[in-house]
Amino acid sequence: MIKVKCPGCGTGYKIPKERLTLGKSVAFSCPKCGRRIVLNLKSRPTVGNPPAAQTENSLRAQEHPPDSTATHEATSRDAQQLRDRIKRSLKDIPFMPQAVIKAQKAMADPKTGGEELARILKTDQAIVSSILRTANSAYFGMSGKVSSIEKACIILGQQNIRELIMMTGASNLLGKTMKGYGFKSGELWMHSLAASIGAKMIANKRNPDLANNAYLSGLLHDVGKIILDPYILERKAAFDEFLKNEDHTILEAEKHILGFDHAEIAFEICNKWNIPEEVAIAIKNHHSPSGSKNHELSYIVHTGDYLARLCGLGYESDDILYQMEMGTAEFLGLNQEILGNMMLQVLEAVQQIGRSLK
């Protein structure tokens, strides 16, 4: 990891060395202030005019990283055995409530009407109650107007009711306390909701045909953590010890302790649950979209995740270090002003929905 600092606002960034090519220079705009950051790898990395010793020390530390004091480090055989164990357990993990799954299938048929959809949803009164509360939130502009699931299916329209059903189903999956990672109840859910709204906004601006998949990808982008949480809890002491180094991220801790990360296991979960391949690929690459061979949805979900964290709707100790991957804004045709406006819209939307669920 190479550390650089913006000469404008002073924001620090950590860039994995494998994304850089020695002997070349790269430049990117600071996501915070828009100032141009130049990283010169022809000799040693520089950002503006930082002290040479600071940059060299960062490089030297990465060339010879300190030994971790963690007592558990996954070997490739350990990792494969654990991965196989997790894959066997996936059959016991419900994707969504049955009413939500049936409703999604019904909506895939254009002949399905509002009455038929309402009949399916009414088999789960908890789902109905959650949909009605959310439908009456300021986000959907129907405050106090939606009194029944039949009315919701008719007046909200296919697209809005589709989002409501996905949102409600995901809240059941993602709203739990996660003792392994140390996440409080609802933290993962609110972050995922923000990422889904942000991803949909970006898709609508960039490629509206991707809006539905962007929304679903955003909701499920961190679903791998639900699966990994009990395995992290089994190795809690080693996991926490590894994270005592402030330069280590949770993603790095997963790979160090388990041998793989939540994005990798989420890809396998999506395949198990028959999630569309487009969505599965985006979830797998949501931390590093540059590895996706220009897969547009991967970049969109990565930026939706970034917007959620920028809003303060993250939940990890290393959120402050999280940055968009270099080249993402340029790839999607976004700039600092657009991202700032989107951040405000995402925050307002989540607050409106959140108030309706209290």
Side-chain angles (χ1 to χ4, degrees):
M1 202 77 73
I2 294 176
K3 299 178 184 179
V4 296
K5 184 178 289 187
C6 174
C9 64
T11 300
Y13 299 93
K14 297 194 301 182
I15 306 171
K17 285 181 63 181
E18 59 267 22
R19 296 181 192 164
L20 304 173
T21 303
L22 292 176
K24 294 185 178 181
S25 294
V26 294
F28 62 100
S29 297
C30 173
K32 290 285 181 67
C33 71
R35 180 75 175 269
R36 200 69 173 164
I37 300 175
V38 179
L39 191 59
N40 180 11
L41 299 179
K42 292 180 179 179
S43 53
R44 59 173 181 261
T46 60
V47 183
N49 293 300
Q54 177 185 347
T55 308
E56 289 170 351
N57 287 340
S58 296
L59 279 173
R60 192 177 301 117
Q62 295 307 317
E63 292 288 351
H64 304 285
D67 292 334
S68 170
T69 56
T71 57
H72 186 288
E73 180 177 357
T75 65
S76 58
R77 189 170 75 171
D78 289 340
Q80 187 57 52
Q81 289 177 343
L82 179 58
R83 199 172 192 136
D84 291 342
R85 177 183 163 195
I86 292 172
K87 287 171 71 174
R88 287 194 298 270
S89 73
L90 292 180
K91 60 180 173 41
D92 301 322
I93 300 168
F95 166 38
M96 295 273 187
Q98 280 300 310
V100 172
I101 295 173
K102 291 178 180 178
Q104 292 286 1
K105 290 180 179 178
M107 284 189 294
D109 183 354
K111 295 180 181 178
T112 301
E115 290 184 5
E116 172 66 11
L117 188 57
R119 185 186 64 77
I120 294 170
L121 293 170
K122 286 174 75 172
T123 61
D124 190 325
Q125 285 302 310
I127 293 293
V128 169
S129 177
S130 183
I131 286 177
L132 291 180
R133 287 200 308 272
T134 311
N136 281 297
S137 70
Y139 176 71
F140 287 99
M142 295 289 174
S143 299
K145 298 178 183 179
V146 184
S147 56
S148 69
I149 195 66
E150 290 86 357
K151 193 170 184 179
C153 291
I154 293 170
I155 68 176
L156 284 175
Q158 188 83 310
Q159 179 59 39
N160 283 334
I161 199 69
R162 184 188 300 275
E163 285 185 20
L164 260 173
I165 292 171
M166 284 193 290
M167 188 188 302
T168 302
S171 70
N172 287 277
L173 181 68
L174 302 171
K176 302 172 184 177
T177 300
M178 299 171 67
K179 294 181 180 180
Y181 286 96
F183 303 155
K184 297 177 183 177
S185 174
E187 287 184 324
L188 176 59
W189 158 236
M190 293 303 287
H191 170 77
S192 300
L193 177 60
S196 69
I197 292 171
K200 179 189 170 186
M201 285 181 186
I202 297 163
N204 278 330
K205 182 175 180 61
R206 166 82 182 187
N207 183 352
D209 290 341
L210 293 176
N212 285 338
N213 280 343
Y215 190 83
L216 179 58
S217 301
L219 279 177
L220 298 180
H221 75 286
D222 274 347
V223 71
K225 290 178 180 175
I226 295 290
I227 310 305
L228 295 186
D229 187 62
Y231 302 97
I232 294 292
L233 186 59
E234 289 176 358
R235 301 155 177 79
K236 183 69 171 170
F239 188 76
D240 290 346
E241 184 68 27
F242 185 81
L243 288 174
K244 282 184 179 179
N245 184 327
E246 62 181 18
D247 288 338
H248 290 162
T249 67
I250 287 180
L251 195 71
E252 291 166 343
E254 291 170 348
K255 290 182 177 179
H256 181 79
I257 303 301
L258 302 177
F260 48 86
D261 61 49
H262 67 275
E264 295 174 67
I265 206 68
F267 177 75
E268 298 185 22
I269 295 168
C270 287
N271 290 332
K272 189 77 174 179
W273 288 343
N274 296 316
I275 299 292
E277 184 180 20
E278 177 88 353
V279 172
I281 292 172
I283 290 174
K284 181 180 181 180
N285 293 288
H286 76 270
H287 281 289
S288 301
S290 63
S292 68
K293 298 180 181 179
N294 292 333
H295 186 251
E296 190 173 13
L297 189 58
S298 296
Y299 281 91
I300 289 172
V301 177
H302 173 64
T303 308
D305 185 22
Y306 171 73
L307 284 174
R309 295 171 190 255
L310 205 59
C311 289
L313 293 169
Y315 51 91
E316 297 180 344
S317 58
D318 61 358
D319 277 331
I320 195 170
L321 301 174
Y322 194 84
Q323 301 297 335
M324 273 200 304
E325 191 175 51
M326 286 189 299
T328 298
E330 291 80 2
F331 180 88
L332 294 175
L334 303 173
N335 58 37
Q336 187 63 27
E337 182 179 0
I338 293 172
L339 287 170
N341 289 334
M342 283 184 173
M343 179 197 72
L344 295 175
Q345 292 175 55
V346 168
L347 183 58
E348 181 179 6
V350 172
Q351 288 173 341
Q352 289 173 345
I353 295 171
R355 283 194 292 269
S356 74
L357 297 177
K358 290 181 179 178

